[in-house]
Amino acid sequence: MTNGNGAPPEAAQAPQLNVLAQYTKDLSFENPNAPASLAPQAQQPSINIQINVTANTLADSEFEVTLSIEGKADNAGSLIFSFELQYAGVFRILNVPKENLHPLVMIECPRLLFPFAREIIATSVRDGGFPPLMLDPVDFVGLYRQNMERQAAAAAAADEAKPS
C-alpha cells in the first residue's frame, strides 16, 4: 500500500526538520578603548557570555528561532571588547507530536545554528584586533531545562500573588 505518491505510509509520517534559511539579524562589536585595549595585557581578561533562545511561529509548521549571544571581555574593570549577535533560522517541522514540538524547536534548532554563530563571533573578535574567541559548545538541553524551571517558578510566584 502507498500514500498516493508511491511511498509507503510510514515514510509519509516520518518526522522532518528542514532549515529553510539562516541569517544574521543583528551584530554589534565594540572595542571602545582601542588602541590601548590592543596592547599586551598583564593578565587574561575575564570573559562573560550570555546565551538566549527565542522562537516565533511563522506558519503551521514553520518557526523562526533566534540564538542571541552577548559577550564582554574586561580586565581590572576596564572593558576590552563586547559583542552582541542575534543569529536566526527558519525551520520547517513536520510530523512531530505536539508534546515534542517545543523541545525540538528550543533545543535542536539552536543546536543547528550554533556553529555558524560561533564562527561569526570568532571572526568578529579577530577582526577587532584580538585572538578569535572560540565559544565552548553549549548544552541546549540544560539551557532548555533551566528556562522551563525559571518559567515554572515565575508562574508559581504569580499564582501566589493573586488575591483569593
Side-chain angles (χ1 to χ4, degrees):
M1 184 152 120
T2 67
N3 67 2
N5 295 331
E10 60 274 3
Q13 297 302 315
Q16 293 181 26
L17 171 61
N18 303 103
V19 182
L20 302 181
Q22 291 180 215
Y23 46 93
T24 300
K25 286 184 84 163
D26 187 28
L27 174 61
S28 170
F29 180 85
E30 296 179 24
N31 186 355
N33 296 311
S37 61
L38 300 174
Q41 304 288 318
Q43 63 186 37
Q44 287 284 79
S46 169
I47 298 177
N48 181 18
I49 307 289
Q50 294 184 10
I51 298 175
N52 194 23
V53 178
T54 57
N56 297 313
T57 303
L58 301 177
D60 283 344
S61 60
E62 293 182 8
F63 304 87
E64 179 191 49
V65 177
T66 303
L67 180 59
S68 300
I69 305 174
E70 295 181 25
K72 290 184 180 182
D74 62 49
N75 201 343
S78 176
L79 182 64
I80 298 173
F81 67 80
S82 67
F83 62 85
E84 294 178 20
L85 173 64
Q86 288 186 350
Y87 191 74
V90 175
F91 298 87
R92 179 177 294 137
I93 301 172
L94 301 169
N95 305 321
V96 172
K98 191 170 184 92
E99 65 272 9
N100 296 342
L101 190 58
H102 191 258
L104 180 68
V105 168
M106 300 303 284
I107 296 170
E108 291 306 320
C109 294
R111 191 184 323 229
L112 292 170
L113 295 173
F114 181 75
F116 300 95
R118 181 179 191 248
E119 176 61 28
I120 290 167
I121 290 168
T123 300
S124 297
V125 171
R126 185 198 66 216
D127 290 348
F130 303 98
L133 177 60
M134 301 306 290
L135 297 178
D136 290 333
V138 174
D139 176 11
F140 287 104
V141 173
L143 184 63
Y144 177 76
R145 288 182 181 148
Q146 225 176 17
N147 286 337
M148 295 307 291
E149 289 169 5
R150 190 176 317 123
Q151 288 175 7
D159 285 344
E160 289 178 13
K162 287 181 184 175
S164 303

